[in-house]
Amino acid sequence: MEGTAVVLDYTVGESVSAFLAKKRQLLIGGEWVDAASGKTFPVYEPATGEIIAHVAEGEKEDIDRAVKAARKAFESGPWPNMTPSQRGKLIWKLADLLEQNLEEFAELETLDNGKPITVSRAADVPLAVDLFCYMAGWATKIHGETIPISVPYMPGAEFHAYTLREPVGVVGQIIPWNFPLLMAAWKLGPALATGCTVVLKPAEQTPLTALRLGELFQEAGFPPGVINIITGFGESTGAPLAAHLDVDKIAFTGSTEVGKLIANAATGNLKKVSLELGGKSPTIVFSDADLAVAIPGAAGAIFFNHGQCCCAGSRLYAHKSVFDRVVDGVSAEAQKIKLGPGMDPTTEMGPMISEEQMTVVTGYIESGLSEGAKAVVGGKRSGSKGYFVEPTVLVDTNPQMKVVREEIFGPVVCVQPFDDDDLDRIAQEANDTIYGLAASVFTTNLSVAHKIAKKIQAGTVWINSHNVFDAALPFGGYKQSGWGREMGKESLNLYTQVKSVVATL
Ligand code: ADP
């Protein structure tokens, strides 16, 4: 569909229009190529439901080609011979290029995902830049240790023993649609810093910024085959990547349901697996909380990115003494949120990613209402064009309801009261979930804050805030929210393996 006219309701930059107008191909071994089948699929703008681009539809044969290219780049050519410093400089150069093209990436992300342009500009793209800068610094600091050993059955022997920390090899990375560019950065940064090579599969709903990033990798001078990008669908592209016998590690971010499929698919060659999965994160507001902080904090916890965050604060627990004020306050915040297309700079919340996701979210709301919950605000689709859902505050829920137990991945919060200050009981309720990704706690009592932080089973606990992210801070899940940690020094462990070397002197 090369040259198809794209109808947009607003002006985007020339480079964005040009990017969208041309069929986007797969990146394999440093070349942009069609899918072996020649197939393409359309990309929709969620604010309008209109087609904005066509991309190649990769399948198993394309995954095979990409894995072969990644293997070749890992084992021969310039990449394995580069010094850590050269690798770090390349990653930094990529970060610079991304920063120089910030506006283009922000527009592409907003068109593709629907999120407000103000958020893409202030958060998604700058966080991705920061991540690459942070990981560029690590490239020269990944090393083993010298270890004094004793070996009791070899008395008098002398040794020199040390460890090497080596790249794990060819890595498959499967990412979701809620933060398309940022999730690509979280995955690619540590893989490249450690010297791995990659086959990246973006989400079928949001492939555009990853493909544009592929062009920047080429511009920065990464050797062919180090980063390969295969767009396509979960079952036909993601599954063969997860099962591929020549892939050494698979990294996945997405639903817990698919995470389990990935873990199973990886058993063929027992490839390493890291998973960043779903959540049903609690936000706890204690009686002594500063409500001027807690109310916007709790509202932001659920409504940021339209609730399409794995760490969204979707279960809000408020002490009975402040419950009504918290419900009223969060509801007032919800009503103030301006819904609209992400490209409108006054928009504060965009559409759900797809019609399917909108139907899932409204289905959950209906299930809650039919079981006796009450919507203080919101409760339905907004408008009839695009996939908008009203920010929704539910009360009169109980811990058995689906809306309280299952991940909704939309702007829907269940507010529940608690009536004592027994931290164990509060933690028990907060921990009553299969998930353990994140939590937040609002209190002015430092001792309570740190005690409850310790009791909560989650990979991140925010105190008097929610959604504070940094490239240096590990992020990941307890329980069924995942395996391993992304970002920070921790993430390097996922992309390296340790070799012990022992010399008898
Ligand atoms: P969501 O339900 O939020 O769309 P998914 O977990 O389905 O999230 O998707 C996240 C990523 O996983 C996407 O890139 C998708 O294409 C991919 N995916 C979906 N199903 C599979 C599968 N069976 N095997 C591998 N990847 C998959």
Side-chain angles (χ1 to χ4, degrees):
M1 297 283 276
E2 195 137 348
T4 302
V6 175
V7 183
L8 299 167
D9 291 328
Y10 27 69
T11 316
V12 294
E14 266 175 41
S15 56
V16 172
S17 301
F19 186 84
L20 294 174
K22 198 158 170 255
K23 180 182 73 181
R24 307 318 314 180
Q25 296 172 294
L26 311 173
L27 180 60
I28 301 178
E31 306 284 334
W32 291 99
V33 296
D34 285 336
S37 67
K39 287 199 272 187
T40 62
F41 65 97
V43 180
Y44 298 91
E45 183 188 357
T48 60
E50 282 162 13
I51 294 174
I52 50 167
H54 289 84
V55 305
E57 184 180 336
E59 288 174 331
K60 185 175 178 310
E61 192 176 339
D62 305 296
I63 290 290
D64 288 343
R65 290 197 286 166
V67 171
K68 221 173 253 165
R71 175 62 60 195
K72 189 169 164 213
F74 182 69
E75 287 177 357
S76 56
W79 186 244
N81 297 318
M82 265 184 199
T83 63
S85 166
Q86 287 169 326
R87 241 183 9 249
K89 281 181 188 157
L90 268 186
I91 301 171
W92 192 280
K93 193 161 170 201
L94 185 272
D96 276 346
L97 288 172
L98 184 55
E99 195 162 41
Q100 283 159 25
N101 292 281
L102 188 149
E103 182 58 23
E104 182 188 343
F105 272 85
E107 287 182 11
L108 264 183
E109 197 73 316
T110 287
L111 287 173
D112 201 2
N113 167 279
K115 65 179 66 200
I117 185 74
T118 47
V119 173
S120 298
R121 279 183 192 139
D124 293 71
V125 187
L127 281 169
V129 170
D130 237 33
L131 190 291
F132 284 119
C133 291
Y134 175 82
M135 289 298 168
W138 269 119
T140 47
K141 298 162 198 73
I142 298 162
H143 49 70
E145 298 171 313
T146 47
I147 303 176
I149 59 172
S150 309
V151 195
Y153 56 84
M154 294 174 76
E158 280 188 67
F159 304 97
H160 175 52
Y162 59 95
T163 55
L164 295 172
R165 194 164 269 281
E166 299 180 332
V168 82
V170 173
V171 178
Q173 303 185 319
I174 301 175
I175 55 173
W177 45 258
N178 58 343
F179 293 89
L181 174 69
L182 188 57
M183 292 301 104
W186 281 19
K187 296 267 181 288
L188 290 165
L192 299 173
T194 51
C196 295
T197 59
V198 175
V199 177
L200 177 76
K201 193 208 93 63
E204 53 270 38
Q205 298 87 345
T206 54
L208 299 178
T209 43
L211 292 172
R212 181 70 184 101
L213 194 64
E215 294 182 340
L216 293 194
F217 276 112
Q218 290 183 302
E219 197 179 330
F222 279 81
V226 171
I227 300 111
N228 305 274
I229 304 175
I230 307 291
T231 45
F233 293 88
E235 279 179 26
S236 48
T237 316
L241 181 57
H244 204 291
L245 297 179
D246 199 31
V247 169
D248 300 302
K249 173 195 161 54
I250 191 91
F252 170 78
T253 297
S255 60
T256 292
E257 188 190 346
V258 174
K260 290 178 184 178
L261 296 177
I262 301 276
N264 281 329
T267 56
N269 65 338
L270 285 181
K271 59 174 67 64
K272 315 280 180 269
V273 180
S274 54
L275 305 169
E276 201 257 275
L277 306 176
K280 192 74 188 174
S281 298
T283 295
I284 306 169
V285 180
F286 285 91
S287 52
D288 66 350
D290 177 352
L291 294 188
V293 174
I295 287 171
I302 181 64
F303 298 132
F304 175 63
N305 212 43
H306 331 165
Q308 299 176 143
C309 295
C310 41
C311 56
S314 51
R315 291 181 296 141
L316 172 55
Y317 296 95
H319 189 270
K320 66 178 181 193
S321 63
V322 292
F323 180 80
D324 288 344
R325 278 185 288 159
V326 169
V327 170
D328 290 349
V330 172
S331 301
E333 294 279 334
Q335 277 181 312
K336 274 195 297 195
I337 295 172
K338 183 170 180 260
L339 265 65
M343 288 302 292
D344 177 343
T346 64
T347 287
E348 292 166 335
M349 185 187 283
M352 300 286 93
I353 188 69
S354 61
E355 186 169 8
E356 186 191 353
Q357 186 62 16
M358 178 183 72
T359 308
V360 167
V361 175
T362 51
Y364 269 114
I365 297 172
E366 280 155 24
S367 116
L369 298 178
S370 71
E371 288 183 290
K374 192 177 130 221
V376 182
V377 291
K380 56 182 192 318
R381 179 180 185 181
S382 171
S384 57
K385 195 176 182 202
Y387 314 128
F388 296 89
V389 175
E390 294 174 346
T392 298
V393 177
L394 296 179
V395 293
D396 297 344
T397 58
N398 68 57
Q400 276 67 51
M401 287 181 183
K402 260 172 63 165
V403 281
V404 176
R405 302 213 74 76
E406 296 180 16
E407 182 176 43
I408 298 175
F409 226 64
V412 183
V413 64
C414 300
V415 199
Q416 298 164 88
F418 60 90
D419 60 10
D420 63 33
D421 291 320
D422 179 338
L423 294 188
D424 283 325
R425 243 192 331 255
I426 296 163
Q428 198 178 12
E429 195 157 351
N431 291 333
D432 180 19
T433 167
I434 59 166
Y435 298 110
L437 193 58
S440 54
V441 179
F442 289 86
T443 175
T444 48
N445 184 327
L446 266 181
S447 164
V448 165
H450 293 292
K451 276 185 185 160
I452 193 97
K454 210 166 159 193
K455 289 176 194 293
I456 284 175
Q457 296 158 354
T460 297
V461 179
W462 288 292
I463 296 172
N464 292 323
S465 58
H466 198 101
N467 285 331
V468 179
F469 288 99
D470 188 90
L473 260 183
F475 182 78
Y478 280 36
K479 301 196 278 185
Q480 292 190 37
S481 288
W483 292 346
R485 294 291 176 271
E486 308 224 64
M487 301 197 289
K489 188 180 173 187
E490 285 286 331
S491 63
L492 303 170
N493 296 336
L494 303 177
Y495 290 90
T496 51
Q497 48 196 349
V498 174
K499 179 182 286 172
S500 292
V501 181
V502 184
T504 308
L505 303 179

